[in-house]
Amino acid sequence: MRRKTVSSVLVAMLVLAAAACGDDDDSSGDGGGGATGGGDSGGELQLDEPLRIGGLVEIAGESPAAVDGFNNGFELAVEEINAAGGVGGQPIEYTREPLSIFDPARAQSQFLELLDSEPSVIVGIPSNTQFGPLKSQIDRAQTPVIAIAPLSDAARFGGDEGSEFLWT
């Protein structure tokens, strides 16, 4: 039961984040963002392309603090969601980039490398010490980031390390 709940919560967050950052251009006639919300779809979400999730987590062996649990959870959720038909009629594509918790400059370059895969949403960031060094890149990318680390007061929206694109 817990696995289904985790997957359901992840899908809900990802769909909401993707919808919130959709294209405002209505020239496609589908309401923008590549999602169809009316007409023949019966109000169900329909995406024109796969939902791309970027994971910012290390796996065991990449640093002394790295564990496999976060990445395994993301991969399991993606596998289960895709087996159930995906999101909006499209599969989820998951790409992982390790995120150093010991080297802020390296973490910034790893974040930028993940952006090259053009994710719809980013999940991960296991340490709240990474929010400050990544703030300017998160703001510039304007890609929703769902962090697995708790937000410190400084990282809340309006704080020195906060971003309107960062949730936890």
Side-chain angles (χ1 to χ4, degrees):
M1 181 67 174
R2 178 157 169 73
R3 239 165 60 171
K4 184 168 178 64
T5 302
V6 170
S7 296
S8 299
V9 169
L10 180 60
V11 167
M13 290 190 313
L14 296 173
V15 170
L16 289 173
C21 292
D23 185 357
D24 290 335
D25 179 11
D26 285 339
S27 62
S28 65
D30 65 6
T36 303
D40 296 332
S41 69
E44 294 181 21
L45 175 69
Q46 292 295 311
L47 300 176
D48 295 333
E49 57 187 42
L51 180 61
R52 291 182 304 279
I53 300 173
L56 281 173
V57 293
E58 292 180 312
I59 57 175
E62 291 178 336
S63 83
V67 296
D68 291 334
F70 298 121
N71 188 63
N72 289 349
F74 296 146
E75 287 180 344
L76 177 63
V78 168
E79 182 181 312
E80 288 183 359
I81 293 163
N82 284 341
V87 176
Q90 296 288 330
I92 296 174
E93 296 174 356
Y94 175 70
T95 303
R96 183 190 70 86
E97 181 69 36
L99 185 67
S100 174
I101 63 170
F102 300 111
D103 183 347
R106 184 169 175 227
Q108 291 175 27
S109 68
Q110 290 167 320
F111 181 86
L112 295 173
E113 286 177 33
L114 183 63
L115 287 177
D116 288 342
S117 68
E118 299 181 355
S120 308
V121 64
I122 295 171
V123 295
I125 308 181
S127 171
N128 59 17
T129 61
Q130 296 164 310
F131 297 142
L134 294 177
K135 180 198 178 349
S136 62
Q137 282 80 11
I138 292 170
D139 286 341
R140 254 184 252 129
Q142 297 185 2
T143 299
V145 175
I146 302 171
I148 54 180
L151 287 179
S152 63
D153 286 340
R156 296 190 192 286
F157 183 58
D160 292 343
E161 299 173 358
S163 172
E164 66 182 296
F165 301 98
L166 175 63
W167 294 274
T168 187

